[in-house]
Amino acid sequence: MDIGIKMTRLGDSHALVTGGASGIGLAIAKALVKRGARVTITSRNLDRITEVANSVAGISGVALDVTDSVSVDKAFNAVGPVDILVNNAGTALAAPFETTTLEQLSSVMAVNLTGVFLCMQAVLPEMRKRNSGRIVNIASTAGMHGYSYASIYSAAKHAVIGLTRSLALELARTGITANCVCPGFTDTEIVATAIANIAKVTGQSEAEALAELVNHNPQKRLVTAEEVADTVLWLCGENSRSINGQAIAVAGGEIM
Ligand code: NAI
């Protein structure tokens, strides 16, 4: 059924998805390809990029560590101008605040915040020249409220939302928009690892640990990566031009 959502002609677009070789990023990359975009995924793992590029037509890849400014410059120079940037690379840490170390703080901030900062700086000069572009940062419901044992992850995701809102204002008189998509607990590797960790630390079964996470969502289920991807697609649409500086929860009503 055509529900009348007018999408940007993504066939003309080059989209880049960081951390696009797995989970939510891979679902976004596949959804963008379906809309006709040429998609570059990035990963630190070249083998994984090759595996994805060989199995999904329309996706190519480049090695990139988002925390390293030299690696970011090299990758963005290699792939050329980007019309749609999806900052998806991220890492989570579950730990009580009082035992969290400075090193853990630095490393979670480096991936989740510095990575977004560096990649946005890399694409903006060309987007400004063309006066068009879409930036979508995958934050989290943890960027909109707190969760116990997730203090630095939550801090990093709150920071991404603040960064995006302020940049959106600076870009408002251009044809570029910047927004965040904020998934709730989503069925990917990050959540599988979290469930295993919770089970290990608390002595619960993995089923009990999963039930605890799912309980945050009023729909009592995990979000799917494809649901997050469709929200990203919508933000890339021509008629989403007025959506700017928003943090959009994809979480079954957990945030309202
Ligand atoms: P994932 O672990 O499959 O994806 C994370 C990706 O980031 C991986 O491909 C990983 O290789 C990449 N990455 C990590 N550090 C990197 C670095 N230094 N340089 C380049 N790439 C790096 O997990 P998932 O769930 O697909 O996560 C994607 C995004 O969604 C993350 O930003 C995460 O914080 C966010 N998110 C996930 C939720 C979930 O429940 N799964 C909920 C809310 C947000």
Side-chain angles (χ1 to χ4, degrees), residues 27-236:
I28 294 168
K30 286 179 176 171
L32 287 163
V33 161
K34 262 196 194 156
R35 284 278 173 184
R38 179 167 65 86
V39 178
T40 302
I41 57 166
T42 78
S43 170
R44 289 162 301 175
N45 182 339
L46 264 181
D47 291 344
R48 186 70 193 119
I49 291 178
T50 308
E51 206 178 296
V52 174
N54 286 342
S55 62
V56 188
I59 295 184
S60 57
V62 65
L64 169 62
D65 179 346
V66 296
T67 67
D68 175 355
S69 62
V70 175
S71 167
V72 170
D73 285 347
K74 198 172 151 200
F76 280 88
N77 284 335
V79 302
V82 169
D83 303 292
I84 297 167
L85 169 66
V86 183
N87 279 308
N88 163 80
T91 190
L93 177 80
F97 172 75
E98 284 156 282
T99 60
T100 301
T101 65
L102 185 56
E103 288 70 28
Q104 287 173 322
L105 173 70
S106 302
S107 109
V108 170
M109 284 292 179
V111 180
N112 292 301
L113 178 63
T114 311
V116 172
F117 168 85
L118 290 173
C119 294
M120 293 198 302
Q121 287 211 328
V123 297
L124 275 169
E126 280 295 332
M127 283 186 177
R128 274 195 184 272
K129 268 189 214 160
R130 294 192 309 279
N131 199 33
S132 83
R134 291 284 186 268
I135 297 174
V136 183
N137 296 327
I138 308 303
S140 169
T141 47
M144 304 174 90
H145 68 186
Y147 293 92
S148 46
Y149 309 117
S151 56
I152 58 176
Y153 179 69
S154 181
K157 294 298 193 182
H158 273 75
V160 168
I161 292 175
L163 186 68
T164 309
R165 286 177 172 154
S166 297
L167 174 63
L169 289 177
E170 293 182 30
L171 296 173
R173 301 295 294 275
T174 73
I176 309 163
T177 63
N179 291 287
C180 286
V181 169
C182 301
F185 289 104
T186 304
D187 194 4
T188 70
E189 204 47 48
I190 279 187
V191 160
T193 308
I195 289 167
N197 281 343
I198 294 169
K200 197 166 129 199
V201 171
T202 62
Q204 290 174 315
S205 69
E206 294 205 354
E208 286 165 333
L210 170 65
E212 219 168 85
L213 296 191
V214 160
N215 209 31
H216 287 279
N217 182 332
Q219 295 179 337
K220 304 299 173 205
R221 65 186 187 92
L222 293 177
V223 173
T224 70
E226 289 70 27
E227 289 167 334
V228 181
D230 273 4
T231 309
V232 173
L233 273 190
W234 168 64
L235 287 170
C236 297

